[in-house]
Amino acid sequence: MAAHMRRRLRRGATTTAVAAAAVAALAASQAPAATLSEGSAGGDPQAAGEDTASAGNDGAATGNSPYYTDLPPLVTPDRPGSSSNLPAAGRAEAGIPATILAAYKQAERTVATTDPTCRLPWQLLAAIGKVESGQARGGRVDADGTASPRILGPALNGQGFALIKDTDGGAYDGDAVHDRAVGPMQFIPSTWASWGQDANGDGRKDPNNIYDAALAAGRYLCANDRDLAVSADLDKAVLSYNRSTEYLNTVRSWFSYYQRGTHEVPDGAGTLPTTPSTPLPTLPGPRPGSGPSVTPSPKPSVSKPGGKPSPSPSKPGGGSTSPTPTPKPPTPPTGEPTPPAETFGSLENAGTGPLRATAGASFDERVSVRARNALGAPLAKAPVTFTVTGDTGTLFAGGKKTVVVRTGADGTATAPELRAGEKAGEFTVTATAGIGRPRTLTYAATVTARQADAVARTDDKELVAVSGEKFTDAVTVRATYKDAAAPGVAVTATMVKDRLGVIDNDKGPYFEDEAGKPVRTLTGLTTDADGKLRLPDIHADGEAGTYLLRLTTEGGGSVVVELTVKAPAETAPEEPASPKAPKATGTPQAVKP
């Protein structure tokens, strides 16, 4: 089945005359003009003053591998205007197999959600799918959207094509010597490694699956902040797929054609391309009788050197033949996409200041980084992962320890606001970006305890106790910070000998620990939601006198409280009672002399 679907034009092989014929055909059919943007070269690259030096795959998604050169029919589809929800009728060339069409539309919806400024139209994916694989060989895909058998381009061995040595060990293309373009959208393995997607949710990124491949193509076309509703950006996107102005003209023709209208046809019933350029090596194909096949067109004659090639007349059904070209290297890169694995250069601090906050408060600073490509220019749309590491309880807004933010047009990505936990201490925020050799920046951050700049008693009662007893009134204080209640502030209570609290006192009033033993310093006390704190019971020992209790807070607030211990009250002793004469009972007795 050497002729089946894999006969595609070498990069830069279609002539200016063929491109001109396409534009003229569209104009004749009153289709909307598929104009090129200003500055887009057409025809012979050398004539346009372009550098034609070979550069391998030039960063193109397909490695500038061959493609189909069929052009749309001269008559546009039946229905002008929008191409959505059209009936299953109309010209055969306007029909797109059901699964293939569904994949294009799903990719458009997905990209519209993740990158709305790109404005990717599914008709552009359809145009590229047409020239790359003939809409996946007329819709020969299984129920999951996977091409069966798989679609492989010729070995890119430098013999008429670019020279790209194996990059995947044959994992995708079955070739461990040279790379081949793979799947419905014809990605080379090295490009798929950076841009592959799992759009059908099966846990695999399969270039042979139309859902995965269509989404990957959509994201690739949207690279570098392109707006595909802008003609110049659309041209750059298509040229990044295959660096040939003839390829651009062909894709543009089909894009305009599909914009005029299309319809769904059953899988396997799509119209197959009929205009390859030069025969390519035999590739795995369907078994005899398993599906439609394609008979290659005869080669047209080529004019002698110095003459102008004459394209063959259009064939019935819209196909057209093209002269056998002299292989030419591709045009220079234009708006090359920037997959992180290939072009990520550096990651730098974008002005993040010191990261400090009080427990429970928000950090004033937000972590910000800037990504640059290998040339030092800002790198847009690069994903940056920010991660909080530490045990302070600090999290990003929304309660997450890890967030992913994409860089903007200026290459910067700013993490969400940080909210400090309740535990004082240090932690780190790490920013990581890049694939293959990730770049990392680490920021140190500190959470300080809640603070109070003042603390005072809530009443002025005299605090008195009798030796050996408890103080009848509890000590209650209120902490404030900038005259506002300071909740959650740590307070330390210490018995001292002087009002400055320099010398601790090991005599006099005391607190009791959990075991009931006397202690004269308490830590771990915290103010409540109103900034208030009621101290535990204070006990007086046996010695009377005036004592001092000093309370201090984080932030510098302090107060000294007097405690008075009095001796037990002295009272006069009771006089002993006089002995009373016993009462006589019975008959008195005589006392002997």
Side-chain angles (χ1 to χ4, degrees):
M1 303 300 290
H4 183 74
M5 297 294 292
R6 306 308 317 135
R7 302 185 178 197
R8 306 168 64 204
L9 184 60
R10 284 193 295 248
R11 52 184 179 174
T14 309
T15 63
T16 307
V18 173
V23 175
L26 291 172
S29 64
Q30 297 182 352
T35 58
L36 300 179
S37 62
E38 292 183 8
S40 295
D44 187 350
Q46 290 180 331
E50 298 174 356
D51 180 9
T52 59
S54 177
N57 69 313
D58 292 324
T62 64
N64 296 315
S65 59
Y67 59 93
Y68 286 114
T69 61
D70 294 61
L71 294 173
L74 296 180
V75 180
T76 59
D78 296 335
R79 177 177 174 178
S82 172
S83 57
S84 61
N85 300 320
L86 293 185
R91 285 188 72 92
E93 284 293 345
I96 298 178
T99 299
I100 309 300
L101 182 60
Y104 295 150
K105 291 185 176 181
Q106 176 177 297
E108 179 191 61
R109 291 192 299 270
T110 300
V111 173
T113 300
T114 60
D115 189 6
T117 60
C118 175
R119 296 193 281 184
L120 169 73
W122 68 260
Q123 292 90 343
L124 180 59
L125 296 175
I128 291 176
K130 178 68 176 180
V131 302
E132 292 296 342
S133 68
Q135 307 301 16
R137 298 180 302 196
R140 296 185 62 199
V141 295
D142 62 20
D144 296 323
T146 301
S148 178
R150 63 181 179 174
I151 303 173
L152 296 175
L156 298 175
N157 55 13
Q159 299 178 14
F161 313 116
L163 173 60
I164 305 178
K165 295 183 179 181
D166 176 66
T167 61
D168 67 331
Y172 292 120
D173 55 13
D175 190 334
V177 179
H178 297 95
D179 272 351
R180 298 169 180 257
V182 182
M185 304 304 281
Q186 288 291 276
F187 280 97
I188 56 174
S190 59
T191 306
W192 184 260
S194 297
W195 293 89
Q197 303 289 316
D198 176 17
N200 62 354
D202 64 356
R204 299 174 57 233
K205 297 178 180 180
D206 184 1
N208 284 292
N209 182 274
I210 184 58
Y211 289 98
D212 294 356
L215 181 57
R219 296 200 189 285
Y220 186 92
L221 294 167
C222 288
N224 294 353
D225 288 323
R226 295 190 187 110
D227 179 354
L228 300 182
V230 176
S231 182
D233 279 5
L234 189 144
D235 288 351
K236 292 176 182 177
V238 175
L239 287 171
S240 77
Y241 217 85
N242 189 311
R243 303 206 181 283
S244 161
T245 50
E246 288 79 9
Y247 178 88
L248 172 62
N249 292 335
T250 305
V251 170
R252 275 285 205 165
S253 298
W254 282 108
F255 176 51
S256 178
Y257 182 74
Y258 287 139
Q259 282 185 311
R260 294 288 296 173
T262 187
H263 58 272
E264 179 183 299
V265 298
D267 289 344
T271 301
L272 299 177
T274 58
T275 313
S277 56
T278 55
L280 300 179
T282 300
L283 299 175
R287 295 179 179 179
S290 62
S293 62
V294 178
T295 302
S297 302
K299 292 183 180 180
S301 60
V302 182
S303 59
K304 296 181 180 180
K308 295 183 179 179
S310 301
S312 301
S314 298
K315 299 175 64 176
S320 62
T321 59
S322 60
T324 302
T326 300
K328 292 184 296 184
T331 57
T334 305
E336 182 176 343
T338 53
E342 297 179 354
T343 62
F344 200 100
S346 63
L347 192 66
E348 61 189 39
N349 187 359
T352 306
L355 297 172
R356 301 190 189 96
T358 302
S362 296
F363 283 74
D364 292 332
E365 286 284 328
R366 292 170 63 182
V367 179
S368 183
V369 299
R370 178 175 290 107
R372 296 187 183 277
N373 63 21
L375 299 178
L379 182 61
K381 296 186 179 180
V384 180
T385 302
F386 296 93
T387 304
V388 173
T389 304
D391 61 355
T392 64
T394 300
L395 299 170
F396 290 111
K400 297 181 179 180
K401 295 192 72 170
T402 299
V403 295
V404 178
V405 180
R406 287 188 176 272
T407 57
D410 61 352
T412 61
T414 301
E417 180 183 65
L418 282 167
R419 299 188 186 279
E422 291 298 330
K423 184 177 179 180
E426 297 183 348
F427 68 96
T428 59
V429 179
T430 302
T432 304
I435 300 174
R437 294 189 303 111
R439 277 64 165 179
T440 300
L441 285 179
T442 300
Y443 298 82
T446 303
V447 176
T448 58
R450 295 174 184 264
Q451 297 181 349
D453 53 18
V455 61
R457 289 186 61 194
T458 58
D459 59 57
D460 56 2
K461 290 182 180 180
E462 184 179 4
L463 299 170
V464 179
V466 176
S467 296
E469 303 291 337
K470 293 190 300 186
F471 284 78
T472 55
D473 293 309
V475 177
T476 303
V477 296
R478 182 173 182 267
T480 56
Y481 182 72
K482 296 182 179 179
D483 297 326
V489 174
V491 179
T492 300
T494 306
M495 299 297 175
V496 295
K497 291 183 177 180
D498 62 301
R499 288 189 171 273
L500 294 178
V502 176
I503 304 173
D504 292 351
N505 196 347
D506 59 356
K507 294 182 175 59
Y510 61 88
F511 303 101
E512 288 185 350
D513 63 13
E514 293 180 355
K517 295 181 179 180
V519 293
R520 289 182 169 84
T521 298
L522 285 183
T523 58
L525 304 172
T526 306
T527 59
D528 63 16
D530 297 323
K532 293 181 179 181
L533 170 65
R534 179 189 173 98
L535 294 184
D537 291 340
I538 302 175
H539 301 264
D541 64 3
E543 190 172 341
T546 300
Y547 299 88
L548 299 176
L549 169 64
R550 185 170 185 261
L551 294 99
T552 58
T553 67
E554 291 287 344
S558 67
V559 64
V560 175
V561 179
E562 287 189 357
L563 303 173
T564 302
V565 178
K566 294 183 178 181
E570 296 183 1
T571 57
E574 295 184 1
E575 296 181 1
S578 301
K580 297 181 180 179
K583 293 181 178 179
T585 59
T587 304
Q589 296 182 0
V591 177
K592 294 181 180 181

